Amino acid sequence: MSLLSPVGRLLLLFGALLPALHAQTFHFRDGRRASMPEAKIQGTNIVIPITISGGGSAEITLPISSLRMIEWPAPPELAAAEADLAAGRHAEALRKIEPILGEQEPFREIPGSWWAQGAVVKAVALAHLGRDVDATVLMELLRRAQAPAEVVNRVEMALIGRMIATGQQAQAGRRIDALREAARDDETLAALAIAQGRLLEQAGEHEAALLTFLRVPVFTPHIEAQMPAALLGAVRALENLGDDQHAATFREQLRSRYPRSPETAQLAR
Amino acid sequence: MTPLASANPVSAAPAHFKLKMACLSVALLALPIQPLLCAQTPPAPTSTLDAVFNQGAEAFNRGDFDTAIASFERILKEAQPGPALEPVHYSIATAKLRKGDFNGAIEAFRFYLQTYPNGAQLNGARAGLTHALIQAKRMPEALAAIRSLRGLSGRTDSQGIDNFVLVHSLTLSISDSLIAENKHNEALELLQNTLWREQIIELQRQRIIDLHQRHTAAQTGQTALGARVDVHRYADRLKDAREALKTVEENADFDLPRLLRLGQCYMALERSWEAIVVYNEVLKRFPASPDRAFALHGLIIAKQNVRRLPEAQALCSRFLLEFPGNPMAPEIAAMGGQISAQLRQPEVAASFFGTALTKSDGATLERVIFQLGLSRFELRDWAGAREMFDRYVREYPQGEWRENAGYRSAISWFLDTSDPDRYGKAEKAIKAFIKNHPNSVYLSDAYYRLAVCLFAFQQYKEAIAACDDWQKRFPNDGLLPQVLSLKADVQKTLGRNDEAIETYLSAARAAHTDEVLHYALGEIGRLLEQKRDWPRIISIFTDQINRQPNSRLALGWYYWVARAQARAGQTDEAWAFLADRVGLQMDNAANEDVEKILELMAQIRARQRQAPADGAAPVSPSAQLKAQLELAGEPGPLVSARLRFYEARMHQLRRRAAEATQLHLAIGRELPPEELSAPLLAVAGEALNQTGDTERAALFFNELLTRFPSSDYRDFAYVGLGDIALAAGRASEALELYTDAIRKASAPHRLREATVGQARSHFALGELDKAATLFETIAAAKQWRGEATALSLYHLGQIAVRQGDLPRGIVFFQRVFVSHVRHPEWVARAYLATGQAFERLGRSAEAAATYREMIRNERIATRPELADARTRLQAINLANP
């Protein structure tokens, strides 16, 4: 007989599972760890098999709420869904992300979870598909899960973009103003500049639109995601103002720096 | 230790754009050197080396860096190597930097960093190294150093950055050096990657937490790595970090220097729109900072570059208001003047230049004096212009514009029509100018003006001789047409008309401006008319038309030809001549001359007797014209409208106003406004308005204003829309429209109506004094005698009544029904108003007499005011049986 107590033996064997770390690993607050596939998720618990020395096996069940963090490789569907979003394939993005959200849902507020990232993709897709209410509900869940502000702002920007596209200019303008007061991250500020620039463009205020679009290359030049839209907006505004010389400069910048962007394709029209 | 200062921020900016940057408030390594072992005041020397160190420290503090370095190097030679020498190495590096031995300082700081990677002065050494690299102009290394520093910003270990403010300061210094070397792209990239104040605060706070944890761990003797750390080092670094945080937290304008440099780079790179974005941001975020003057300055230039001149002008005014004593104020005032001159606002330009004059010196003053002279010249302030030009010539005898100033001063006498002796003074001044500038580019003009003076002195022969002399001196000069015109004028004055005609012809042939051409040909026409030489008129003007068929003066030439033909009894030829010319343009809505030619044709035809051949039904004028124009099929809307316009004009000339109105209404009701010309829109809109179809009338008027923003017929539209607004009770709007008819469109056709409209609008708005002034003007205008007079007198009566002067009001009313019987509306209203005024004065008998007279007046028998008169009369009779 081992000198270890039964619990001690269990702990020893439990700990022995660990050195070979698996892709998904659960870290509990009491310092214990367990990995999949041996550990299984059952509802709101993690069920961990143990081997009893001397023969036999058993399982212990630990609540997910006792997790300190999880190590989980980024689901490839997340990147694929983001790519779909970027390409405007919102329904496809939604289809890809739903299973991931289902999988991550139990770990919504656990550090290391991919739930927030997935929820953002879903919310943005919903906003673009005109399902504003669903997107807003998800945005609120993100806030409650204490997702970073810039993550939540992505959803807000998608909703604002939808308002602009569907002619709700006044409402979009109000939300832009509100978000600008609160936003601190450059991604959001750049996206706001694009949204506001578009509103001004629609209102025929071309100079104001130009100066708004130019805030992106001037103050947030590292936000590449918004740069093509900013440059295209500047080109259009300058053309409307009759300043073809400067329009040509920005057109050339857009072509040379972002030759395959949808905005560059629009230049040809 | 305090953070490093930025380099001297006065950049060697491009000549067109100087920017004096505000220094950052921190001083360069201002604090004294710390003693060997601790950061406190050095204790009393306990050893020779301590004494040497103290000597070194004292030497450093009094600025004797050579002695300080010598002392510290002696310690290095004599002391045992070890951590205790860390401050010595640092002190040597700092002393070399302060001394200006930048390469030496670089070497020393690098040694320190290699030897003491966790030293207490780690951040100071990094900063010192970067600063030394900047000073040594080793920019690629300085850039690499700053990038490497930035790369550490995310690190929380001992190698992380303790002082982000210092890094920021160094970045600005490097950017200043790059700007000075005209490497604006590199400077821009550097500045755009610099942290903002909020980011620095957040990072600095986090760093303080990190350092505090390390300090605490050091104090307890335990660390995560189990290494022994120097409590004092972390205490120093923590103190440095806290001071840095305090610096940035207390400086709300922290981001301003970076933004200004960003703007400067964009301006230098000729990216004015981006510069505007930056400067707008400065003005928005730092509304109270004195340094926003630099942003305003940059914004003015940027706005000029993108041709937003009115905005640039407004910014100049704002600058002078907010920063009247700023050193840039003279330059800004001068810029405001130049912009105003470009906007053709000489009065505003003169005001700006006047301000600049009191504040400027050097090259700016020279330019301002000259430009103020130009502005005054344009304002026809001849004495004021002369004052400046003479000052310029006096103070800048070698100045760039001395010749220009001198000549303008001379001819200012010539141009001053209020001076009875202008020609005498001009002759003297111009002759003096010629003597002082025998090779001037203005000589041809000067001699021309001298010839004019001779003409003015009635020295006719001398004037002709002067013109001939001018032609010899300047045979190819552009002023030839003017000189020839002058010579012809003199010949005409001498009665040598045949010679004058030939000379005018030469002038017309040589003319390259419409002004001279119009003048010369007009004189030819008048002289030939005197001689009744119709064939020659026809020949000359037909020739001119063929030479310049598209000239804007062509219409006037058609007039001459047609009139000459008509005078010669060739009315049909005259009419046909015009019909041929107008036919080509009948479907061109943009050509307003078409309607003018049609009017002339109507005038010619209207004078002819109408005699249908062989008793056949008379052909309508429009049908006749259509046949002449050989228009096949149904003409389009525009041509159809123009044919009707022609016929309507014929009716008007034959006093058949009702038929004319019907044709105008037909144009308005049947034809689409977007197809019509400005004159057609005007007359049709007016006809519609007068028949009460105000909605369609407004459509026509707005179409006119939108499609023909420069048309001579815009006053129809402004007046028509004003009438509609006034009738609808929108008096303010109406007033603006009537005023626009005069100010924007010069009211060539509807000045009377516009003036009456203004007066009525003021009356409706209760602005009785303004209304009275205008009504008095209208009533006194003989050329407007008619209904406008009656209307005005009536309103003057109403104004007097409202102001409580009923007897005066009665006088006005009586003038209406006594002298303006042809205008029943105003006669009836005047009668009624008179009766009412008498009643209010308690003079019932006179009131009754007035009402009875009114009722007896057959001319106003159908007027609605009669009902009121009868009612009032009955009431008076009942009250006074």
Side-chain angles (χ1 to χ4, degrees):
Chain A
M1 271 309 255
S2 165
L3 292 175
L4 284 173
S5 69
V7 173
R9 267 184 261 130
L10 284 173
L11 285 173
L12 180 62
L13 287 168
F14 181 72
L17 287 170
L18 294 179
L21 284 175
H22 292 271
Q24 292 92 346
T25 302
F26 304 105
H27 295 253
F28 294 89
R29 285 203 206 101
D30 59 9
R32 288 183 284 181
R33 288 185 296 175
S35 296
M36 290 172 73
E38 293 79 14
K40 288 183 175 38
I41 303 164
Q42 276 184 7
T44 56
N45 296 311
I46 308 288
V47 178
I48 306 159
I50 52 170
T51 306
I52 301 172
S53 82
S57 63
E59 287 181 343
I60 59 171
T61 300
L62 298 172
I64 286 176
S65 57
S66 66
L67 282 170
R68 180 171 58 84
M69 63 170 276
I70 61 174
E71 287 175 31
W72 198 291
E77 293 86 343
L78 187 56
E82 285 277 15
D84 284 329
L85 274 188
R89 296 187 294 268
H90 303 114
E92 185 60 23
L94 192 60
R95 191 188 62 75
K96 279 184 186 144
I97 207 65
E98 287 281 18
I100 303 305
L101 277 176
E103 187 182 70
Q104 295 289 310
E105 174 63 31
F107 309 104
R108 191 195 300 181
E109 294 182 22
I110 308 295
S113 157
W114 293 99
W115 181 86
Q117 289 84 341
V120 164
V121 171
K122 181 175 176 179
V124 170
L126 287 170
H128 281 289
L129 291 168
R131 292 168 59 180
D132 299 358
V133 173
D134 295 335
T136 305
V137 165
L138 202 44
M139 189 164 67
E140 190 50 39
L141 286 175
L142 278 164
R143 283 201 181 103
R144 284 189 208 162
Q146 297 187 327
E150 52 267 28
V151 167
V152 178
N153 289 344
R154 259 189 82 187
V155 183
E156 179 72 13
M157 286 311 309
L159 288 166
I160 288 171
R162 177 85 188 150
M163 284 173 201
I164 294 173
T166 53
Q168 301 172 66
Q169 274 81 9
Q171 197 175 354
R174 280 193 293 275
R175 285 177 83 144
I176 287 172
D177 290 341
L179 186 54
R180 195 186 300 113
E181 286 296 310
R184 291 288 175 264
D185 62 291
D186 286 345
E187 285 79 7
T188 305
L189 291 172
L192 279 170
I194 300 300
Q196 177 140 52
R198 286 183 179 145
L199 272 185
L200 290 165
E201 190 180 7
Q202 284 176 3
E205 296 180 40
H206 300 298
E207 187 166 322
L210 170 66
L211 295 176
T212 304
F213 284 126
L214 285 181
R215 291 185 69 84
V216 175
V218 170
F219 295 126
T220 55
H222 48 288
I223 307 297
E224 291 285 345
Q226 301 293 352
M227 202 60 69
L231 292 174
L232 180 62
V235 169
R236 284 200 301 255
L238 284 162
E239 284 172 349
N240 279 314
L241 291 169
D243 189 343
D244 293 334
Q245 184 189 344
H246 287 109
T249 303
F250 286 108
R251 195 181 290 116
E252 188 45 41
Q253 272 187 42
L254 180 55
R255 278 202 188 110
S256 59
R257 287 170 59 184
Y258 308 97
R260 280 185 279 280
S261 69
E263 289 81 4
T264 300
Q266 284 189 44
L267 279 181
R269 291 185 204 143
Chain B
M1 298 295 291
T2 58
L4 281 175
S6 69
N8 183 350
V10 177
S11 307
H16 72 279
F17 185 60
K18 291 178 191 162
L19 182 65
K20 291 184 187 150
M21 307 299 287
C23 288
L24 291 178
S25 59
V26 293
L28 172 63
L29 296 174
L31 289 185
I33 294 291
Q34 304 304 318
L36 270 169
L37 294 177
C38 67
Q40 283 74 39
T41 307
T46 56
S47 70
T48 309
L49 288 182
D50 279 344
V52 170
F53 183 87
N54 288 341
Q55 281 166 17
E58 280 160 17
F60 185 102
N61 290 336
R62 65 171 182 269
D64 181 0
F65 302 113
D66 287 328
T67 305
I69 291 168
S71 302
F72 298 139
E73 282 177 346
R74 183 181 157 189
I75 295 172
L76 289 182
K77 277 187 198 142
E78 296 178 19
Q80 290 283 338
L85 293 180
E86 181 197 324
V88 179
H89 281 290
Y90 181 74
S91 303
I92 290 173
T94 309
K96 286 185 176 180
L97 180 60
R98 293 290 292 271
K99 180 188 159 184
D101 175 11
F102 301 123
N103 289 320
I106 290 167
E107 211 178 297
F109 279 122
R110 280 187 169 148
F111 179 83
Y112 176 93
L113 288 167
Q114 268 175 338
T115 311
Y116 306 102
N118 289 310
Q121 303 302 332
L122 174 65
N123 283 277
R126 284 168 176 162
L129 171 62
T130 308
H131 193 67
L133 285 166
I134 295 170
Q135 294 299 317
K137 306 275 186 231
R138 287 160 65 167
M139 296 313 299
E141 291 170 86
L143 274 167
I146 204 75
R147 284 188 186 122
S148 143
L149 267 178
R150 280 192 185 157
L152 298 171
S153 65
R155 289 180 68 155
T156 58
D157 59 11
S158 62
Q159 291 298 306
I161 295 179
D162 296 342
N163 189 337
F164 289 92
V165 176
L166 188 56
V167 174
H168 181 268
S169 170
L170 288 169
T171 303
L172 294 188
S173 295
I174 295 175
S175 74
D176 286 345
S177 291
L178 290 169
I179 289 169
E181 291 172 26
N182 289 327
K183 293 180 180 171
H184 296 101
N185 274 314
E186 289 180 54
L188 186 65
E189 195 203 333
L190 196 62
L191 290 165
Q192 283 189 312
N193 287 305
T194 307
L195 296 170
W196 294 104
R197 177 174 177 260
E198 283 189 15
Q199 292 169 316
I200 288 176
I201 288 174
E202 194 180 319
L203 287 167
Q204 199 65 53
R205 283 180 182 158
Q206 186 55 52
R207 186 58 181 165
I208 288 170
I209 293 171
D210 293 338
L211 287 172
H212 183 73
Q213 284 171 351
R214 289 183 181 279
H215 182 238
T216 305
Q219 280 176 324
T220 59
Q222 291 179 353
T223 65
L225 298 174
R228 185 171 176 273
V229 289
D230 185 341
V231 170
H232 293 296
R233 285 178 181 174
Y234 279 116
D236 275 349
R237 290 171 69 170
L238 190 54
K239 186 178 167 211
D240 184 29
R242 284 185 174 138
E243 280 174 5
L245 178 63
K246 190 164 177 266
T247 302
V248 66
E249 280 178 335
E250 287 176 357
N251 184 2
D253 293 351
F254 186 84
D255 286 332
L256 179 52
R258 173 210 178 160
L259 283 167
L260 289 175
R261 283 161 171 85
L262 209 56
Q264 187 183 4
C265 287
Y266 278 124
M267 288 298 291
L269 292 167
E270 297 182 359
R271 292 164 66 174
S272 299
W273 285 111
E274 287 100 319
I276 290 172
V277 172
V278 173
Y279 291 132
N280 280 343
E281 185 75 2
V282 170
L283 295 177
K284 183 179 148 196
R285 286 178 55 186
F286 309 102
S289 168
D291 285 344
R292 75 187 188 286
F294 297 109
L296 260 182
H297 176 275
L299 192 56
I300 289 167
I301 297 174
K303 290 276 187 180
Q304 272 188 288
N305 291 346
V306 298
R307 310 192 73 74
R308 294 294 182 273
L309 297 183
E311 290 169 35
Q313 184 191 52
L315 287 167
C316 287
S317 297
R318 177 178 164 182
F319 187 102
L320 294 171
L321 192 64
E322 293 182 19
F323 305 102
N326 188 287
M328 292 189 285
E331 182 196 342
I332 299 292
M335 271 201 272
Q338 282 156 11
I339 293 169
S340 303
Q342 280 180 271
L343 289 170
R344 301 191 191 280
Q345 296 172 6
E347 207 168 294
V348 181
S351 172
F352 272 117
F353 286 131
T355 302
L357 192 69
T358 59
K359 296 174 188 284
S360 299
D361 56 16
T364 305
L365 178 61
E366 180 186 343
R367 190 171 61 244
V368 164
I369 290 171
F370 180 67
Q371 289 190 297
L372 182 53
L374 288 178
S375 298
R376 289 178 178 176
F377 195 88
E378 213 171 322
L379 286 167
R380 308 175 77 80
D381 173 9
W382 309 118
R386 220 165 19 248
E387 182 198 349
M388 285 298 111
F389 290 136
D390 289 348
R391 178 175 168 181
Y392 185 92
V393 168
R394 205 168 50 242
E395 294 183 15
Y396 305 97
Q398 305 303 319
E400 187 181 340
W401 303 294
R402 68 187 181 289
E403 198 175 294
N404 191 318
Y407 189 61
R408 282 179 187 268
S409 173
I411 62 166
S412 66
W413 295 110
F414 186 96
L415 297 166
D416 189 353
T417 53
S418 67
D419 187 336
D421 189 29
R422 66 190 253 230
Y423 290 115
K425 290 173 183 168
E427 189 187 42
K428 187 175 162 194
I430 292 172
K431 280 183 174 170
F433 174 84
I434 292 173
K435 189 175 169 197
N436 290 332
H437 301 91
N439 299 312
S440 170
V441 296
Y442 301 111
L443 281 188
S444 64
D445 191 89
Y447 278 104
Y448 162 63
R449 292 192 195 268
L450 287 177
V452 174
C453 290
L454 289 170
F455 186 24
F457 298 148
Q458 298 180 0
Q459 295 174 15
Y460 301 128
K461 284 186 191 160
E462 290 84 351
I464 290 178
C467 289
D468 290 337
D469 177 61
W470 187 99
Q471 273 185 271
K472 283 185 196 134
R473 280 179 193 261
F474 313 104
N476 300 314
D477 193 273
L479 277 175
L480 179 62
Q482 282 88 335
V483 173
L484 288 170
S485 291
L486 171 64
K487 181 176 171 183
D489 286 344
V490 180
Q491 287 166 333
K492 187 177 79 172
T493 307
L494 288 170
R496 287 146 57 173
N497 288 350
D498 288 338
E499 287 176 40
I501 287 170
E502 297 315 312
T503 308
Y504 280 128
L505 257 178
S506 299
R509 301 254 153 78
H512 41 75
T513 64
D514 281 349
E515 197 186 337
V516 173
L517 180 61
H518 179 70
Y519 178 77
L521 287 173
E523 291 301 306
I524 290 170
R526 277 183 280 282
L527 287 173
L528 287 173
E529 247 187 351
Q530 282 174 20
K531 290 176 66 173
R532 305 179 73 78
D533 188 350
W534 313 124
R536 190 121 194 257
I537 290 177
I538 293 167
S539 164
I540 287 173
F541 283 96
T542 305
D543 202 37
Q544 186 62 35
I545 291 167
N546 290 335
R547 263 216 300 278
Q548 292 181 278
N550 298 320
S551 168
R552 66 180 186 89
L553 302 175
L555 177 68
W557 305 333
Y558 298 156
Y559 267 52
W560 279 108
V561 171
R563 202 154 69 213
Q565 284 174 329
R567 294 280 178 88
Q570 302 164 17
T571 28
D572 286 340
E573 287 83 347
W575 192 88
F577 169 79
L578 291 172
D580 288 343
R581 292 304 182 284
V582 86
L584 299 167
Q585 294 289 320
M586 277 292 275
D587 59 357
N588 180 359
N591 190 336
E592 294 181 1
D593 289 348
V594 168
E595 278 81 5
K596 290 175 186 165
I597 294 174
L598 290 172
E599 284 223 23
L600 180 56
M601 290 170 68
Q603 285 171 17
I604 292 172
R605 269 288 181 260
R607 287 194 195 114
Q608 287 179 313
R609 289 188 187 204
Q610 299 168 294
D614 305 324
V619 180
S620 72
S622 55
Q624 217 178 22
L625 179 56
K626 188 178 166 192
Q628 176 71 26
L629 296 175
E630 296 177 354
L631 296 172
E634 199 57 36
L638 175 60
V639 174
S640 171
R642 278 175 160 162
L643 290 172
R644 292 190 211 195
F645 173 86
Y646 166 73
E647 186 166 333
R649 194 71 191 103
M650 291 274 292
H651 285 307
Q652 282 172 325
L653 288 164
R654 287 175 177 162
R655 299 180 188 276
R656 296 202 286 261
E659 285 89 330
T661 302
Q662 285 308 310
L663 283 164
H664 288 154
L665 276 173
I667 294 172
R669 286 179 182 149
E670 296 169 23
L671 298 172
E674 59 273 14
E675 303 273 351
L676 303 178
S677 66
L680 294 172
L681 288 167
V683 299
E686 198 168 68
L688 288 165
N689 200 18
Q690 283 166 357
T691 52
D693 191 349
T694 54
E695 198 177 317
R696 193 158 171 86
L699 184 67
F700 272 60
F701 292 139
N702 284 317
E703 185 77 15
L704 197 168
L705 291 175
T706 306
R707 282 174 52 217
F708 304 103
S710 305
S711 167
D712 286 344
Y713 290 83
R714 284 175 297 153
D715 57 338
F716 277 86
Y718 287 124
V719 167
L721 289 168
D723 289 345
I724 292 169
L726 190 60
R730 302 192 303 270
S732 288
E733 182 188 331
L735 179 60
E736 210 174 301
L737 286 159
Y738 291 127
T739 307
D740 283 346
I742 297 169
R743 283 221 194 116
K744 290 185 182 174
S746 306
H749 306 102
R750 291 290 179 267
L751 179 59
R752 177 186 62 192
E753 288 78 1
T755 311
V756 168
Q758 283 181 313
R760 295 183 76 173
S761 299
H762 281 304
F763 184 80
L765 289 166
E767 295 164 352
L768 300 182
D769 289 339
K770 289 181 183 172
T773 304
L774 284 169
F775 283 129
E776 281 160 10
T777 303
I778 297 163
K782 286 184 185 166
Q783 69 275 25
W784 290 346
R785 193 157 179 76
E787 185 176 358
T789 318
L791 175 158
S792 297
L793 290 170
Y794 171 79
H795 279 90
L796 285 167
Q798 286 292 0
I799 289 169
V801 166
R802 283 205 202 173
Q803 290 174 337
D805 191 347
L806 285 107
R808 187 158 177 264
I810 289 171
V811 167
F812 279 117
F813 297 138
Q814 286 174 336
R815 280 174 63 185
V816 176
F817 58 72
V818 167
S819 306
H820 296 275
V821 296
R822 288 190 187 175
H823 307 291
E825 179 191 349
W826 301 108
V827 165
R829 291 167 81 169
Y831 265 123
L832 186 63
T834 302
Q836 288 167 338
F838 275 132
E839 282 192 78
R840 283 174 61 183
L841 285 168
R843 291 153 64 171
S844 306
E846 284 152 294
T850 302
Y851 294 136
R852 280 194 287 272
E853 187 180 313
M854 179 181 174
I855 292 165
R856 280 197 303 268
N857 189 326
E858 288 176 4
R859 284 185 187 231
I860 58 172
T862 57
R863 290 293 313 171
E865 290 82 4
L866 275 164
D868 288 334
R870 289 195 177 93
T871 304
R872 290 312 311 150
L873 185 58
Q874 200 171 29
I876 292 171
N877 288 339
L878 282 172
N880 302 285

